[in-house]
Structures are given as structure tokens and as C-alpha cells.
Amino acid sequence: MDLTHTPDEDAFRAEAREWLTANVPSEPLPSLETEEGFAAHREWEGRLATDRWSVVNWPAEYGGRGADIFRWLVFEEEYYRAGGPGRVSQNGINLLAPTLFDYATDEQRARVLPPMASGEVIWAQAWSEPESGSDLASLRSTAVRTEGGWLLSGQKTWSSRAAFADRAFGIFRTDPEAPKPHQGLTYLMFDLKAPGVTVRPIGRLDGKPAFAELFLDQVFVPDEDVIGEPGQGWRIAMSTTGNERGLTLRSPGRFLAAADRLTALWRAQGEDVTLRDRVADAVIGARAYQLFTYANASRFAAGETIGAESSLNKVFWSEYDIALHETALELLGTDGELADTAWSEGYVFSLSGPIYAGTNEIQRDIIAERLLGLPRGRRA
Amino acid sequence: MRFQLTDEQQDFGRSLDALLTASDTPLAVRSWAAGDHAPGRALWMRLAEAGVFALAVPEAYEGVGPLPVELAVAYVALGRHGVPGPLVETAAAAVLLAGTPAAKEWLPRIAAGEALVTLAEGPYALDADAADLLLTREGRIAPGHGPLRPSADPARRLFAPTEGGELLGGTPALSAARDMAAFLTAAQSLGVGLALLDRTVAYVKQRTQFGTQIGAFQAVKHRLADTLLALEFARPLLYGAALTMAPADIAAAKVTAGEAAYRAARTALQLHGAVGYTEELDLSLWLRKARPLRDAWGTPSACRATVLTA
């Protein structure tokens, strides 16, 4: 058992730290859930990409540095320690890109990945539908065969960042006659500016248009934008949601930095004794999550796969994130109510954690059934 | 970086599990609680032969340690099987004794499993009636002890050390001994929590109500999912602490494992229902241990304070 970094990892950390110190904007960027902030973040993504820091774990040919998972974790620690802005391209990088690496053609990778890395094309996810949330297999939007491609129709909703994004990815029903609901689905990418697409921004709890619903009316998608085989969408999507809940969606660096900020706030406010235990729990939780991630990364590096364990991960960080922000708001007292602070914005964002990427109720079912072997409930 | 137990360390844990499964550990626990130490001491000797106590003793004194990672593996297994006795205290005493003239006499005997040593935490010493040496946390060798003070866990037998006796000479490592005790209590707690979870999972799969296994109910599933979650996030903190043995890391592991095991006990009791509220079911051996271990060698509140002083 060993927690020490290699000289190579230390050198990588030093290089990242130096670059970030020189380049991270000294003033926080405006919220990426506003038009102005979205543009500022897109520009920041481009700056990151110029020196190949936007996707460090990707191969060099697509703009990365070929970093392994430990160096990726090191980078994330440094990124958040330096106060790096939230990543507007995260849906593409964290959700679509792993799918492309696993299932796409070389042509698709060469076409889609570089502009994703540079922030030139920002991606939105289009999974959920009005009657289909965590039960993704029940989705009803369709893709119908046409000359040279497919025609999409239906409605998607809760599509994060779709209000300002360029393109989207999702799964669509291509075979309504398939014997089971998760069969006959196809994974494809489409243009949010294409004829037939209407994007209606939805205000989040704080009023910002952080997500949108998409109305699709005979939207043409060429064959080259289908990922994998038609009909295999469910299997491919499941591998994406596994990534989402697993190692890559929330790196420990973000929580380590947040716990440091919380501790500093607590000290600055006179070390309120009534909140001491909760501040300590935030520090402990960040360390626990870091070490849990290192353990999973070690398994991953040893060639093991991370399966249903990723549900433990997701429930942990989503609930941790809320507790951390609640503690900060309580420390702030009356100022905790103010909506235009970083803590307040972080709090509103944290509230969505137990809801998206498969609700925590679904995650707990997965933990109970697949890790503890309990009998399946009423889900199909 | 390879933050994962080696194959050898995993094999060691499995071999201890097998040894303790093959022994009648619940009988040893019940006898111990009744003041009959013979089955417990026999078990203790088997553990010594498997190398458990040598892990806490330096090589200069016929040990192989201290090896915190291996000790953590061992004490998770000891907790999982509910092994009675001053397990934590004996290993902590080995740390305390290492810098003193008494080391030569006691450490080889600890490594060999011939000496049970207890170390008082505040006013009480665990299993002083079974111990061959009774130390106080100031490093005094107590000449004897008072009458049994019943613990919430009858297999934990508490006694107040009597006044007097000599101080250990040399430079006893008082705070390092307390850190070791807290660390191994965390490991033992994790094992207790895992045992409670295992037994409860097995129970909810066989118990039926309303015509179905109660383990199919979402309310039941979610409590057990949360129990597993808490235990699985305590585990990396435990092994992280083993690698640094830093007080703040130990405190973080202690509070997390202790709380996780205690929550596991509450869940186990609730899901077993009335049958869980009985002494005769073996579940009680772990149920009653979780709460004292949560508070022994550092209450949650004290641990949290330590984390923030780092």
C-alpha cells in the first residue's frame, strides 16, 4: 500500500501549478449559467486548450497529454486549489468523450474531439424526457430512418447548458416494435441550431437558465453522427452513465479545495464552536472521498473495472456537497441568504446532485441489489 | 501510488477470517463475558500463532512490527468476529513499553501471545481481571484493580486500577500509544460494522412479511445501502491513517469508522425487529460493542476537534 506520488507525477504537478498560477483569472468569471459567463468560460476553455491543459487524460492527437488516472487526479487537485473556473465543456468531456473513445469511429473521434477540447463546440446532454427521468428506458422521442440519416422528433428536457450550447447527444427510439423498452434505442449527436430544433431555457431555482427543454420536429441527423450500431443505444448510454457516476464526474480536488475554503471561513468567523463538528466533517469527507477515489483509481490502473461501486461514489459526493454548502451558509449567518455569492451559487448547484445522473433513490437500489445482493423490487 | 492492499495483505485477512470462523468465537465471547477467560485465551494464542500480536512489536523484541497496515487488516478481522479481550490495549501497550526498561521483559511475551496487557483509558481498564499487566495512561504499572464495573457490552469488562505502583522508566511513548489505540479501535469498529451489515443482509433475505422478503422493500434496501456506503468510506480513511499514523488522520478514521459501525448497529437492530432486541441471538455480541467502540479512545467530538487542529 502506497500513497506517494512518483517523481513523474510530482513533476506534472509542478508544471500544472506553475501554469495555473500564471493563467487562472484573478477575478472569478461570471456564472457560466448566463450568456456573458458562458462566453467567458468558453474563452477560458480555449486558453486551457492552447497549452493542452483542457483534457490532460486524452491522447495527444486530440489535444491531451495522455495523462494516466493518477496524473489526471493530480491535475484536478491543482486546478481547484488554484481556483480554476467551473468547466462549461464538462458534459462533452465527461459524458460524451468517454463514449466516443469506446464506441465511435476514427473519423468521428477526429471530427468531434478536438473542437470539444478547445471549447469551440460546447455539448449538452439530451437524456431525460418529460415522462422519463431515472427510468431512461421509458423514453419516447423517436429517430426515423430517412435518406442518408435519421429524423428526430419528440421532446427532451432538463438538458444542462443547452440554452447556450452548440450541439447535443442523446438516445432515441428507433425501433418502437422492440420486445423490451431498452431495446431499439440509438445513440446519436445532433446540432442545436439545426432546422426543427426549438430550445426553451428553463430557469433553475436561482432563476438562471442552467438547463432547457428541447422540442424536436423532424430534425435531420446524418448517418455519420450515429454512435455505434443503431439499436445499441441503451448499452452505450449505460457505459456513459457509469462514467458519469464513477471516477470522472466529481474529482476529489474540487471538494478538497471547497473544504479548505470552508475551514478558512470558519476560522475567519471566530471558529464558531457550535459548527465545529460540521466543519470537521467537511474536512474528513473531502479526505475520505480523495482516498476512496485513489483506491478506485488503483483498482482501475490494475486493470479491474469499477461497476456498481460507482453508485456509492455518486451518493457520497452528492450528499457531501450539500452538507458542505449548508454549513457554509450557516456560518455566513444573515449573509447566507444573499444569492450572489459563490457559496450561495454553489449551494443551489449542489441541490441538484442527488437528482441528476440517476437519482439517489435509484443509486441506493443499485447498491442494495448489486452490491448487497438484495431481491429486486418492482422495477422492470 | 498503489492505494490498495497487496495480495499478501488480503490473504492475511482471509486467513484470519477462516481461523476465526473455524473457532467457536461466539462461545469465547459469551464465556469471556461470564468471567471464564479460558476459551478466549486459547483463541488469543491461535491469533498469536497467526502473527497478529507480533505485528505490534518491534523486531528488536521478537516482533515484526510495527506494521500498521497489517495491523489494520488483522483488527478489522478481529472486530468482524467479535473477538473478546484487551486486543487494542495490548497493541497500544506494546508502543508504550517500547521505550522503557520493561520492554525486554514484556514485548517478546506480547508478540508470542503469552501476555495480555491492558492500558487504562481514563478511570477504567478493559479486562484488567484477565490481563497480566495493567498500565495506566500516565505510564504507571498499577498494582491491582477494583471490582467489575459492568459495561454496556458484557464482553468488555471494566475495572478501576488501584492507586500506587511504579512508573515505567525510560521514555514511554504516551501519545503514540493512545494514537495506536484509537487507530486499532477504528479498525475493530469497521469490522464490527461489516459483521452487523453481513448478518442483517442475510436476515432480510430470509425474513418474510406481507408475503415477500423484507429485503425487497425499498425502505429496507436504502438503510442497508447507506450502511454499506458509510463503511466503505471509512475503509480508505483507515488505510490512509495506517500509512501516515498522523493524529489527524487517525482521528478522521476513528470518528468515521465508529459512527459507521454505530449506525450499522442501529440499522441491524431496527431491521431484525424484536428478535434483534434479545441477548440470545448472536447479533447482540456486535450490537452491544458498536457503541462503546465509538466512544473508546476518542469520542466523535474529540476526534473532530483533533481533525481541525491539524
Side-chain angles (χ1 to χ4, degrees), chain A residues 259-300:
Chain A
D260 280 349
R261 282 203 308 281
L262 181 71
T263 309
L265 178 67
W266 178 68
R267 295 207 194 285
Q269 303 250 357
E271 307 199 348
D272 183 343
V273 73
T274 59
L275 290 172
R276 188 195 64 185
D277 285 359
R278 284 166 59 187
V279 174
D281 282 342
V283 173
I284 294 167
R287 177 71 171 160
Y289 187 59
Q290 181 191 34
L291 292 172
F292 185 84
T293 304
Y294 279 149
N296 275 336
S298 298
R299 289 177 49 197
F300 186 74

Side-chain angles (χ1 to χ4, degrees), chain A residues 1-5 70 263 266-267 276-277 279-281 283-284 287-289 291-292 294-295 298-299 302 304 312-313 315-316 361 364-365 367-369 371-377, chain B residues 1-6 9 69 197 201 204-205 213 215-216 218 220-222 224-226 228-229 232-233 236-237 239-240 243-244 249 252 255-256 301-302 304-305 307-310:
Chain A
M1 257 202 153
D2 179 14
L3 267 177
T4 55
H5 290 287
F70 293 113
T263 309
W266 178 68
R267 295 207 194 285
R276 188 195 64 185
D277 285 359
V279 174
D281 282 342
V283 173
I284 294 167
R287 177 71 171 160
Y289 187 59
L291 292 172
F292 185 84
Y294 279 149
S298 298
R299 289 177 49 197
E304 292 176 49
L312 292 170
N313 208 54
V315 174
F316 184 87
E361 284 72 23
R364 287 185 167 94
D365 282 351
I367 292 166
E369 290 166 13
L371 300 180
L372 295 175
L374 293 176
R376 285 181 69 84
Chain B
M1 164 154 341
R2 188 182 185 277
F3 190 55
Q4 216 180 0
L5 292 174
T6 63
Q9 287 162 342
V69 174
L197 176 61
V201 166
V204 303
K205 284 201 254 190
Q213 296 154 288
Q218 208 173 37
V220 170
K221 280 181 178 167
H222 287 195
L224 290 169
D226 284 335
L228 179 69
L229 182 89
E232 287 304 323
F233 277 86
L237 285 172
Y239 289 108
L243 292 175
T244 66
D249 290 344
V255 61
T256 308
S301 184
R304 290 181 170 112
V307 166
L308 287 179
T309 55

